[in-house]
Structures are given as structure tokens and as C-alpha cells.
Amino acid sequence: MGLQIPYICAMSTWKDYQEKNKDRFLSELLELLRIPSVSARSEHKPDMLRCAEAVRQRLLDAGVDKAEIYPTEGHPVVYGEKIVDPSRPTVLVYGHYDVQPADPLDLWHSGPFEPIIKDGKIFARGSADDKGQFYMHVKAVEMMIRTGTLPTNIKFIIEGEEEIGSPNLAKFVSTHKELLKADVILISDTAMISLDTPSIDIGVRGLSYIEVEVTGPNRDLHSGVYGGAVANPITILARMIATCHDENNHITIPGFYDGVVEATPAERKLMAAAPYNEAEYIRDLGVKALWGEKGYTTNERTGIRPTLELNGIWGGYTGEGAKTVLPSKATAKISARLVPNQSSTVITEKLLAYFRQIAPPGVTVKAEEHHGGEPYMTPIDSKAYQAAAKAIEATFGKAPIPVRGGGSIPICSLFEKYLGVKIVFMGFGLDSDNLHSPNEKFELANFYKGIETIPYFHKFFAEG
Amino acid sequence: MGLQIPYICAMSTWKDYQEKNKDRFLSELLELLRIPSVSARSEHKPDMLRCAEAVRQRLLDAGVDKAEIYPTEGHPVVYGEKIVDPSRPTVLVYGHYDVQPADPLDLWHSGPFEPIIKDGKIFARGSADDKGQFYMHVKAVEMMIRTGTLPTNIKFIIEGEEEIGSPNLAKFVSTHKELLKADVILISDTAMISLDTPSIDIGVRGLSYIEVEVTGPNRDLHSGVYGGAVANPITILARMIATCHDENNHITIPGFYDGVVEATPAERKLMAAAPYNEAEYIRDLGVKALWGEKGYTTNERTGIRPTLELNGIWGGYTGEGAKTVLPSKATAKISARLVPNQSSTVITEKLLAYFRQIAPPGVTVKAEEHHGGEPYMTPIDSKAYQAAAKAIEATFGKAPIPVRGGGSIPICSLFEKYLGVKIVFMGFGLDSDNLHSPNEKFELANFYKGIETIPYFHKFFAEG
């Protein structure tokens, strides 16, 4: 069923097109990065709508047949498609136009929504996660459409709630199965080791994200007058957090590791072969020593082991100077990364139950779920994975290493459930891109390399 | 050396004067409360100057001979005096015109700097701590001057840095010993049990206030990409805090209790006799159970035992929704209340050393002092204490109970050191005044009772 495109011909056509249009590709991306589409903050709702409309327009400009905005109960989904021939395979590209909050703002070297190019890097919130990455697909598709070389049908689903756990995507996908029908889902929302050592993520971890609020007295108290007589919610919350790991940094939540499959010696040997320079890793993070679960390497800790991290904490007086207050409340944001055979639903329940149960009598605890997502694995013997690997080999000159990424893309298992197709991750970011952090960046070289590589995926997938 | 004022005569003169002027006394106080003189926040520097000038003007209006603003390296000190006759005893009134920060603002029923009278209470930041209380002295002195009945020389020192630990007061006092020379220091910055059960604080606890900042990686990281491989500063800080108390809520900082004198059975029996309704205490605070050091009662925990409280904590993402960040830093504000025979300097050093020493290798810890103050005791057999007790008996109709307060007035030991005189605390606040908390209030009845009582102190002290 595949369309055969003469290899050399397509290569030079695409190269020419990209070379002639690369400055425009970049300036279009920068425009998109100027929209502060922060899904977590209600004050950015108008920016979210503006961003969705901009994405829809860019899809139309790229030459798709139609592009529409689908409202949800939260932020809208943008859908677009170019059906070349119903008999050809269909690639569904997933991406997200929403971004993480930019704070702490004072740590940014330049405005998070005023993108600048410095040292070959695009600095802006969303540059790598995920505007810069899904936009590579928009431009690659434009390139194929405009040069008459699009070998597949293409569908885009660009959502606006990835950074808040895609609360409305399941409903959208389950009620639009026909619209979204495809042979593979292609996602660029992950990283590779480097341009010199290309890699493909074959697994992403699941996520359970909760918030725990500890309340002591019904109001803030004077710490001199009442201190020592009532439970201090900060102290209690700290004690609760301190019990979540043992002295070997194993997680102590009862049943947390149930079902987790230990990696075999062979698997661990393979992982250990991946390029990793511990001294460089330590220097980059500016720490004196690494820290983690005893008995595992850094790559294992971030890839195949589940983790529990504190994402935020606050309570009492946090301003300048000193205030002798015994606060009424203290709150923490806590999330776990999950590996295959762990269920986000089950782990979230275990976490919530744990914090509720260990609360001492002097306080009340409110523990609630933010969002979750199941872990996901891509089979490396699938046609889609093979097409991605061949595409990378075609433009990078070497085969990619399959790796398991530490992050989470909660919608993966959802797509599999409702659409019944597999996902391939072709991430062109780097671990050093400062995702979710100040000074997020996306390497210009990676942006262009992505646009260059994506058409080969379509070509090989169509031919496969 | 004392001046004998006919008792009955003075009583009716003062009563008349107060009755005729009470509305003006109140409205003057409300004006003072409208100035947001928050010493801890640099943006309030202009308000601090405005407040100091207002206090100076009020002293002049009350009839003192002179009133001046003395600049310091921080916020200025207001000094005023009325020297009736150098041979008479001199009372130095200490107070502070600065207030605690008002946040969390959303918990206030009305604006913290828009005082309102409701149910016989003045609601405003600083109403009880300490504007309302030092202003009783200004009005009592006006009353005595205007009616020609001031039996003592009077000096006022109203400072602007009490809530931040009086960092510049030692220098001011040590370089103005002659100016401040007095026979007693009178302070209204504490509470009594109730108008039905008057009491006098004979001791205040000392204070050591520190800030601990834990730094892990040199930037905020994606918790999925790096989680599990580097120390999370929130987790580490929580673990450090959790080690500060043992399972009996004894403080575990090495040497913390060195020198602390255990109360004798007789002392404890006396304390147990003070009015205290545990059910009412629990209901008022809205907790299910009290919480504190094993083996001690609530009054002992808040009065004669040293404590260690968390005053604030923050780190990572604290906004709406979820952000999967592994933060670079987490910070806590921590303070200890100290009892006689503990030294603030020594305890502060022990606290700082403790947090520095227990830091694991994956993080760096910066521990610094905010401020401190030594514990202080007033001898109840002194002439000044006896004058205060007699004054209270004169207007309340019953003798005050001597109690040990839980709060701290760090400048006490400083006054003793440089001026060589004792302090008497005549506090007219209540424990329920919400000091340092939202909805701080001062009972109108207590404000007026204070103005009524203070002249008797001067009378009895002059006669003593």
C-alpha cells in the first residue's frame, strides 16, 4: 500500500525547501512562543484561546485540508488533517500547545515569553516542551505537502492541557475515535541523548500527583504564646514527608513497589552501556554528590525505578525578615513516577491513604489527587519504531539507541485504550533543555534536525 | 522623695478627664493604626518614618517637654520626656510603633490597616501589639500632665524595630545612657489572663530565630528526568526538621536544655492553680487534641519550657495546579523560645551548627540568624513590681497573679545591661488578641482600663 518516493529525489527536494524557508520556520515558532499559554493558571485562559487559534491557523497555512478548534470543559483541542488517499497509512501527530508556569521568574535570564536566540539556543518557556517540538511536525508536513511528497495521511491533535494532566482528553478521544483513527501515533515531546548519540524513548514513566494539606489550629497563632502547646502543621508535614523514604531511599509507602518488575542483569548491562559521564552529570547539576535509591545507578534511578519527589511546599511566613507565627496550615505537592506494572490509580490511592493515615491527632489532613498517568512502553520490533529508527539513521548517520525516559506522558495509555494503536516517541530535545525550569531552551540545531528527519519517518512508515 | 497626691482627689480628677476625652483617645489610636508600619518589609520604609513622626507629635500633644526622632541604621527611635523635678523618680516607658506583617491578608475580616470597632474590640494590625498598648501610656501621661498630677519624671522610648529583633537598639541605648537614665522601665507589650483575673508577667522567654536554606541542584529540574538521582531539597529539609524533636516532643538539638532549671513541685502547683479550661482552649483553637512536650501541662509548655517552632517553609512550586519540578532550594524559618539560664547567643549557635552538621552530602545548607533575645525575669519583691501590683489592685479590685509569659521581648536584658534598672510588665492585652495573626484585636475595655490604671503605677512608684 506504500507510496514509493525516489529516495535521492525526496532528500534533495526537502533539503532545498528547508534551506529556503528555515528563517521563516524559526520566526513562526518564536511568534508562537510569545503567547503565555500556561494551562495551570486561570488568568491565562484568554492566552490559551489565542494560542489554540494560532495553532489552527498554522496548520491551515501548512496546507492541511481542514483544521478546527474543539472546545472541552477545560482548554480546547486543536485538530487538523490532510487525507492524501484513504488507502495509505495514517499518522496521528500528538503535541501540546500549553506550557508549564514560568515561575520562579527571577531566575530567568530573559523573559520566558520573550524568546531570544543565544549561542544557538532558543530560550523561552515551551521552546522544547512542547511548542518547538510539535511545530517541527507542522513544518515537516508543510514541506511534504508543498513539494508534493507527502506519503501518508496526516492528522494532528494538539491539546492544551498536557501540563495539567490532560483532564479532558480521555473524553475527547473516546468521543472522536473515528476522527482520530490512525495507524500510529507520533509524538515529539521527549529528549534524545545528543545529536551525536541519537536515541529513541521506548518507555515513559507513569505519574501520580497529589497535594497534602495539614491543618493544625484554626488560625495563625503567636508562636510565643501558643508554641509548644499545639501541633505545628509545618513540623507535622515535615515528619510525614520524612517517613516516605527509608535510609536507603527506598519508598516506604505500603505496597508502593507491588508488581514492579526488577530489571534483569542483561537489561541492566545494556543500560550501563549507554553514554553517561557521572563527573559531567554532577558538574552540570552543581551538586557535591548524587543521591538516590541504594543499589541502582543514576540511569536506573531515573529510568526504570519508580520515584517519589516533593514538587512544592509552603506554610507560615515566607516573606522578608522574621515573623513569630505558628501557622494554621502547611501544604505540599508530591508526585511519584511509575514504571510498567504500576497503576497510577492504585498508587495515587495508596499515597492519599498513607498521608491520611499517618496524621497525628493534633492535626487534620486533606490529601487530594492532582492528576495521574499510566506508564507506557513502545515495542521496538513494531513497524512504527523501525520506521523511526530508520529515519534517524538516514539523517543522523547512525542508528538510535532505545532508552527508557524518566518523564511521563499520561495520555499514552489513553490513546492505546481508545484508538488501539501504538505510539512512537521521536523526541529531539535534550535533557539539558531545562524543561519546567527557568531558562527553558531548545537547540536550533535540534529544531532543524527534527524538521529534516520527520519526513523520512513518513516515508519509511508508508513503505513499511 | 515621693510626691503625695491625695488619693481620692486624683482618682476623681483622672476619672473625669478620661470620661470627657475617651472618644478622642480612641480616635487618635485608630489614626495611628492606619499607618502600615511594617518594619520587616522594606517597601514600608516611608510608612515607618510617617509613623515615627506621628508618635513624636502625639507625645508633644500630650504635653511632654520635648520629643525627638533619633535615626538609627534601621528604623528610627522616638524619644520624649517630661522632667517634673529631677529629684523625683523617673519612669522610662518602652513601646514599639512597628507591627508584624499583615499577611495572610485573605484571612482578615477587614483591612489590617483600616481599623474597625466590632463587639467592643478594635480590629487592626498593631492594635494590641503594641500601638494600642504604648498609646495607653501616652494618654495616661497626658491625663496626669493636664490635671497637674504627674508624680514622676517620665521618659518615652518608642522604637520601630521590635518585630524584627531590635537590631539597632543596643547601639542606641548604649550611646544614650544618660538620656535614658531612669529608676524603672515600664512596658505594656504583654497580656493578662482577663479583666476578671488580672495578672502581671514576671518573665518573658528568650528567642533564637534562624533561617535554613537547603540547596540541591543548581537549578530547578524536571522531576521526571532527574527525580531519584539527586537530593530533593524539600525532602532533605523535611527530614532535618523531623529530627528536631523526639517521639516525646523533646527537642533533640544537642545541648539545647543545658542549664534549664526544672520547675519545683511547688512552682508547678502554683502554675496549676491559674485559671485554665482545657476544653475551652481546645475549642478556641479548633483542634482535636493538644500536642506538646510529654510530662508537662499546657501552661508549663507555653511558659516555663523552651520550645522550637517552625514559623515558615517554602520551596518549589506553590501555585495553582501541578508542576513537576524538582526544586533547587527549600527554606525554613525556625525559632526557639528560651527560658531563664538559656542564652540566646548560645542556642542560636547550637541551632545553626545543628542544621549545618546534619546536611547530607547531596545538598548545601546555609543557616543564618535572624535575631534573638535573652529570657528575662522580674523580681516580684521589687518596689516597681509592688507599685504595679498595687495599681492593678486599685482599679481592678483584686491583686494580680504573677505569671510567666510565653512570648519574648528581646530588649529586656539589653536594658538591664546598659541602664542597670529592672523592668515591670504591665500588659493589658489578652492571649486571644491574635497577635502576629490575622484579625489582631485589642479590647476597648482593656484599652481604657490600661489608661485608668497606669497613673496609679506612677503614684505608687513615686510614693514607694
Side-chain angles (χ1 to χ4, degrees), chain B residues 78-119:
Chain B
V78 184
Y79 173 81
E81 65 174 36
K82 173 83 183 175
I83 306 298
V84 183
D85 174 348
S87 70
R88 292 195 206 164
T90 300
V91 176
L92 175 62
V93 172
Y94 164 88
H96 61 93
Y97 66 87
D98 66 322
V99 300
Q100 281 276 320
D103 54 290
L105 286 173
D106 54 328
L107 296 182
W108 283 79
H109 304 315
S110 54
F113 301 106
E114 293 151 18
I116 60 160
I117 312 289
K118 214 174 82 180
D119 305 330

Side-chain angles (χ1 to χ4, degrees), chain B residues 20 50 70 100 139 160 175 201 204 209 242 331 342 384 388 397 405 429 432 461:
Chain B
K20 279 184 194 133
R50 195 151 58 92
Y70 286 78
Q100 281 276 320
K139 294 297 99 181
T175 54
D201 273 16
V204 290
Y209 200 121
T331 312
Q342 281 185 304
S432 58
F461 189 68

Side-chain angles (χ1 to χ4, degrees), chain A residues 29 33 108-110 112 115-130 132-133 191-193 284 428-444 446-447, chain B residues 219 226:
Chain A
L29 171 60
L33 292 171
W108 284 78
H109 304 316
S110 54
I116 60 158
I117 312 288
K118 213 174 82 179
D119 306 330
K121 299 163 176 64
I122 311 164
F123 285 94
R125 171 58 85 229
S127 54
D129 182 14
D130 177 47
Q133 293 219 61
M192 49 169 47
I193 296 171
D284 173 52
F428 292 91
L430 299 177
D431 275 351
S432 59
D433 282 342
N434 296 330
L435 304 190
H436 298 200
S437 306
N439 306 311
E440 178 178 347
K441 56 93 177 161
F442 190 30
E443 305 275 336
L444 263 181
N446 292 47
F447 176 62
Chain B
R219 60 187 188 273
Y226 291 96

Side-chain angles (χ1 to χ4, degrees), chain B residues 50-245:
Chain B
R50 195 151 58 92
C51 197
E53 179 51 38
V55 171
R56 190 185 79 92
Q57 193 54 53
R58 297 307 176 73
L59 288 174
L60 289 172
D61 294 348
V64 301
D65 301 327
K66 64 170 185 179
E68 280 167 29
I69 292 176
Y70 286 78
T72 72
E73 280 177 33
H75 302 298
V77 168
V78 184
Y79 173 81
E81 65 174 36
K82 173 83 183 175
I83 306 298
V84 183
D85 174 348
S87 70
R88 292 195 206 164
T90 300
V91 176
L92 175 62
V93 172
Y94 164 88
H96 61 93
Y97 66 87
D98 66 322
V99 300
Q100 281 276 320
D103 54 290
L105 286 173
D106 54 328
L107 296 182
W108 283 79
H109 304 315
S110 54
F113 301 106
E114 293 151 18
I116 60 160
I117 312 289
K118 214 174 82 180
D119 305 330
K121 300 164 174 64
I122 311 164
F123 285 94
R125 171 58 85 229
S127 55
D129 183 12
D130 178 48
K131 287 174 178 170
Q133 293 219 61
F134 86 70
Y135 207 61
M136 297 181 310
H137 290 273
V138 179
K139 294 297 99 181
V141 165
E142 172 195 320
M143 203 152 85
M144 292 185 282
I145 291 174
R146 297 302 176 204
T147 59
T149 56
L150 180 62
T152 54
N153 299 312
I154 178 102
K155 295 180 176 182
F156 283 97
I157 175 170
I158 312 295
E159 72 148 325
E161 298 191 309
E162 199 270 347
E163 299 295 4
I164 54 170
S166 308
N168 296 295
L169 198 68
K171 191 172 166 197
F172 180 79
V173 173
S174 66
T175 54
H176 293 87
K177 283 186 204 167
E178 194 53 39
L179 183 76
L180 300 172
K181 200 177 170 203
D183 297 289
V184 69
I185 296 165
L186 186 58
I187 302 181
S188 293
D189 195 18
T190 52
M192 49 170 46
I193 296 169
S194 72
L195 286 187
D196 290 334
T197 312
S199 60
I200 292 182
D201 273 16
I202 56 163
V204 290
R205 290 195 284 189
L207 181 70
S208 286
Y209 200 121
I210 66 164
E211 187 161 318
V212 178
E213 181 191 81
V214 176
T215 304
N218 54 12
R219 60 187 188 273
D220 283 4
L221 301 174
H222 187 299
S223 68
V225 177
Y226 291 96
V230 285
N232 184 316
I234 301 177
T235 308
I236 301 299
L237 180 58
R239 289 188 192 188
M240 292 165 88
I241 291 167
T243 67
C244 290
H245 294 84

